[in-house]
Amino acid sequence: MRVGLGLSAPAARLLADGLRGSGAPLRRIAGWSVLEAAPALASGWVTAAALDDGFLAGRPGVGLAWTALLAGLFFARAAAERALFTPLADVVENLRDTLVRRVVRGVLERATASGRGGGSAAVAQLNGQVDTVRNLTGTLLRTARPLGVSLLAAVIGLATLDPLLAALVLAPLVPALTVFLWSMRRLTARRRLLVLAEEKVAGHAGAALGASRDITALAAEPHAASIVEQEVAGAAKAQLAVGLAAALRVPVVLLGGQLPLLLLLLAGPGLVEDGSVSAGAVVGAATYVAAHLLPALQMLAGAVSGYWSQLGVVLHRLAEAATVAGSPARQAAADQSPGSSRTCRPSQAVPTPRWRGAAPDLSVRELDFAYGPRAEPVLRRLSLEVPFGDHLAVVGPSGIGKSTLAALLAGIISPTAGTVSLDGHRVTDLGEALRCRLFALVPQEAYVFPGTVAANLAYLAPDAGPDRLERSAAAIGLTGVLDRLGGLDARLRSPATELSSGERQLFALARVHACAAPVVVLDEATCHLDPVAEARAEAAFAERPGTLIVIAHRLVSATRARRVLLLDGDRTALGTHAGLLVRSPHYAELVGHWAGTAAAVLDGRERSSVVPSSYE
């Protein structure tokens, strides 16, 4: 089933989901687009007035004044174009985040449900397609949006300038736009068929090459070649269909852009002679067509239609990957799961928590978690109590499930069995808004968005004033970075290039330090900091009121914690650092391995005089 402009229904739903939550930046884009379209709306009017009331009337000053007004509108458009970059970035980044969540969830659920591996390769490939969607959407918002707005503004301006001249232009323009929209549907659909045909060619050719010895042994070369040739012929036919659909852009431009201009040039002199229209109105109408309608049609029928058809194809493939076949209920449940882009709703009514503003304890009972019904459990029958104000470090070998435990504690994922509760309330039963006020999880990869420094630091604490933000920045060790940037009012335009990985982590840490969440989970959130900066950040959170859980990047974090949880399969242990060294050989072995590695790194640093950013 196809919907508007050739998008399939799954692709359209996926795009709508990706844009949900971007209402505010889309409204800002719409507002700035109105200002951006001002020159297209006024150009014909200004040209007509400059000629009729100015130059042709022997008053060049008036004509120049009208021309200066048009120049001012172009300056206003330039300011609007500059202001559009931030909301455009907000839209495409939100789209990408939503698509990544949907696609990764769909691929992993499909892999675990079928019991087959290969999920990581599929996710990596689809992640590239998500980036393609983000880039194409950004390109369309930068090109198709202003072209469409300019075309609409020019039509409105022409209609109000002179209805007779507008009729000459709209008579061929309306059919041209109708053909354009119809051709967009056909082009998108045929591009999708072409992709499928090319994949069939690759699949059959790869299978034939892989079985070449068996094919030769059975003397089946002609049969194998005929199968591949049949698919190649189908791909060639699909390619021809795409070319024919793309060729419709030529009559669209001729009919909608060049024919109206020709009609104006042919009919204009006679209309001026009999007094039906003024000379300025004819030139103004020609300005609308030549400066706005014709270029817009050329771009829309050319590059924009190509971008849109590519977007439709890639979105359809992502929609297929994001949907777990045969399990609509499961997908609907996933859309409402914690961490999704939609608002979570409790599975049952949760009373107003008695601990709101108090000191909630965290409880883990018989916790199991596996990434699929056939997958080996990552965590098995884990139980522990984390009283309010505790400082717990979680250590263990790489891949043992420490980050999974962090996500379970914060309610981002649901356990396979067992419970995680905050003062008796299951964390997965809490609404997303409430859960986000109670838990703050800082992942390994920090995200800093374009905008002011203050907006980044106050993201989780919108009511925080400058003093509070500066205190958190000083506690974490971010003050030097703020001074370099220019303070809280400084604007970050490209955080990925303006800030190092460690500086972005400091931003994320200061952002959480400033919020009021009573439970903070640091999931290797200091991995890009040097040991001194890491110690300062952990000390700042330890002094902050609330519970601190540190998924340790370096085992030295365990020496600073009040208690340590060792995850090592069935050899889980909980206690103080000193106590575990005595009663847990596995913990002592882990500490000894880390101490030897750290010593070797320090010894190498002394010999080479190279200071590493971190070591494990």
Side-chain angles (χ1 to χ4, degrees):
M1 177 182 176
R2 289 180 301 180
V3 293
L5 296 181
L7 285 186
S8 64
R13 284 195 297 268
L14 186 61
L15 182 60
D17 287 343
L19 295 178
R20 186 177 291 115
S22 296
L26 286 173
R27 286 190 293 272
R28 292 200 301 272
I29 290 172
W32 286 114
S33 296
V34 172
L35 182 58
E36 191 180 19
L41 179 66
S43 59
W45 269 95
V46 171
T47 301
L51 289 173
D52 292 337
D53 300 334
F55 298 115
L56 295 180
R59 295 188 293 175
V62 175
L64 291 174
W66 281 109
T67 305
L69 173 62
L70 184 59
L73 292 177
F74 276 103
F75 278 112
R77 186 179 76 173
E81 290 174 345
R82 186 176 186 274
L84 278 164
F85 280 104
T86 298
L88 286 175
D90 291 342
V91 170
V92 297
E93 291 304 323
N94 179 68
L95 172 66
R96 182 188 184 279
D97 293 345
T98 302
L99 292 182
V100 167
R101 284 194 294 267
R102 290 284 303 275
V103 168
V104 171
R105 183 169 59 232
V107 170
L108 294 182
E109 287 186 351
R110 190 190 303 273
T112 54
S114 65
R116 293 192 297 268
S120 60
V123 168
Q125 180 182 5
L126 291 168
N127 189 53
Q129 294 182 351
V130 168
D131 285 334
T132 299
V133 169
R134 178 185 63 175
N135 295 336
L136 287 172
T137 303
T139 300
L140 287 168
L141 286 173
R142 293 194 309 270
T143 56
R145 175 196 53 78
L147 290 173
V149 170
S150 295
L151 193 150
L152 179 61
V155 169
I156 294 173
L158 179 60
T160 56
L161 174 64
D162 190 279
L164 180 58
L165 297 176
L168 284 175
V169 174
L170 293 177
L173 177 61
V174 172
L177 290 176
T178 303
V179 172
F180 167 69
L181 296 176
W182 176 76
S183 68
M184 286 278 285
R185 292 172 59 91
R186 288 176 60 84
L187 182 60
T188 303
R190 291 185 176 186
R191 276 190 183 274
R192 188 160 59 246
L193 293 176
L194 174 61
V195 170
L196 294 175
E198 290 176 341
E199 289 179 349
K200 286 183 178 180
V201 171
H204 284 85
L209 288 173
S212 58
R213 295 181 62 180
D214 294 334
I215 292 173
T216 302
L218 296 172
E221 293 95 336
H223 179 66
S226 66
I227 294 176
V228 175
E229 288 172 357
Q230 183 179 358
E231 298 301 335
V232 170
K237 184 178 179 181
Q239 182 67 65
L240 179 61
V242 169
L244 292 174
L248 287 173
R249 70 185 65 173
V250 175
V252 166
V253 174
L254 287 175
L255 181 63
Q258 295 177 347
L259 181 58
L261 186 58
L262 179 61
L263 292 176
L264 286 175
L265 294 177
L266 292 176
L271 294 174
V272 173
E273 281 186 15
D274 62 20
S276 299
V277 297
S278 67
V282 173
V283 177
T287 300
Y288 279 127
V289 175
H292 302 290
L293 295 182
L294 180 56
L297 278 176
Q298 289 173 331
M299 284 293 294
L300 288 173
V304 171
S305 64
Y307 294 146
W308 180 261
S309 61
Q310 292 177 45
L311 179 65
V313 171
V314 180
L315 274 173
H316 185 77
R317 302 313 300 272
L318 289 177
E320 291 176 337
T323 304
V324 182
S327 181
R330 185 176 182 180
Q331 183 62 33
D335 286 340
Q336 296 296 329
S337 67
S340 72
S341 60
R342 302 180 183 180
T343 301
C344 300
R345 299 181 184 274
S347 59
Q348 56 187 6
V350 177
T352 301
R354 64 177 176 82
W355 36 258
R356 182 171 294 171
D361 297 333
L362 193 63
S363 176
V364 178
R365 302 287 177 86
E366 299 292 317
L367 188 67
D368 285 7
F369 182 82
Y371 281 100
R374 304 183 186 181
E376 186 71 18
V378 179
L379 298 171
R380 192 193 304 270
R381 301 180 66 81
L382 175 65
S383 296
L384 73 148
E385 301 293 327
V386 185
F388 180 78
D390 199 5
H391 180 180
L392 176 69
V394 182
V395 301
S398 178
I400 202 64
K402 301 187 295 295
S403 293
T404 300
L405 177 61
L408 288 164
L409 294 177
I412 294 176
I413 57 177
S414 300
T416 305
T419 61
V420 178
S421 304
L422 199 63
D423 263 14
H425 299 282
R426 292 175 183 249
V427 297
T428 51
D429 285 344
L430 302 175
E432 184 177 14
L434 177 58
R435 192 171 61 249
C436 290
R437 290 199 300 270
L438 296 171
F439 293 90
L441 171 63
V442 187
Q444 181 175 352
E445 294 302 325
Y447 181 68
V448 180
F449 55 84
T452 64
V453 171
N456 270 280
L457 296 184
Y459 183 74
L460 300 177
D463 298 330
D467 291 342
R468 179 172 165 189
L469 298 181
E470 288 175 352
R471 285 197 301 270
S472 291
I476 294 298
L478 186 62
T479 302
V481 179
L482 296 191
D483 291 341
R484 174 173 64 82
L485 294 173
L488 294 176
D489 294 329
R491 178 169 291 277
L492 297 168
R493 303 195 182 280
S494 178
T497 58
E498 295 175 71
L499 301 173
S500 67
S501 298
E503 289 170 342
R504 291 196 296 275
Q505 283 193 329
L506 289 175
F507 261 84
L509 292 166
R511 178 190 298 152
V512 169
H513 188 276
C515 78
V519 181
V520 172
V521 182
L522 305 182
D523 185 8
E524 297 195 26
T526 59
C527 63
H528 295 301
L529 302 181
D530 60 56
V532 175
E534 178 185 63
R536 178 173 182 171
E538 288 185 9
F541 278 101
E543 294 172 1
R544 174 185 179 275
T547 301
L548 175 63
I549 300 172
V550 178
I551 309 300
H553 174 63
R554 304 176 181 90
L555 269 175
V556 69
S557 295
T559 66
R560 294 189 284 262
R562 186 173 300 149
R563 293 191 301 162
V564 180
L565 172 64
L566 170 66
L567 292 182
D568 193 6
D570 295 330
R571 300 174 294 190
T572 300
L574 177 66
T576 65
H577 170 67
L580 288 179
L581 283 175
V582 174
R583 64 183 179 85
S584 174
H586 303 292
Y587 183 73
E589 180 184 356
L590 193 65
V591 171
H593 173 72
W594 172 82
T597 303
V601 171
L602 287 172
D603 183 56
R605 182 180 65 179
E606 291 173 356
R607 290 197 304 268
S608 63
S609 299
V610 175
V611 181
S613 60
S614 66
Y615 54 83
E616 296 184 341

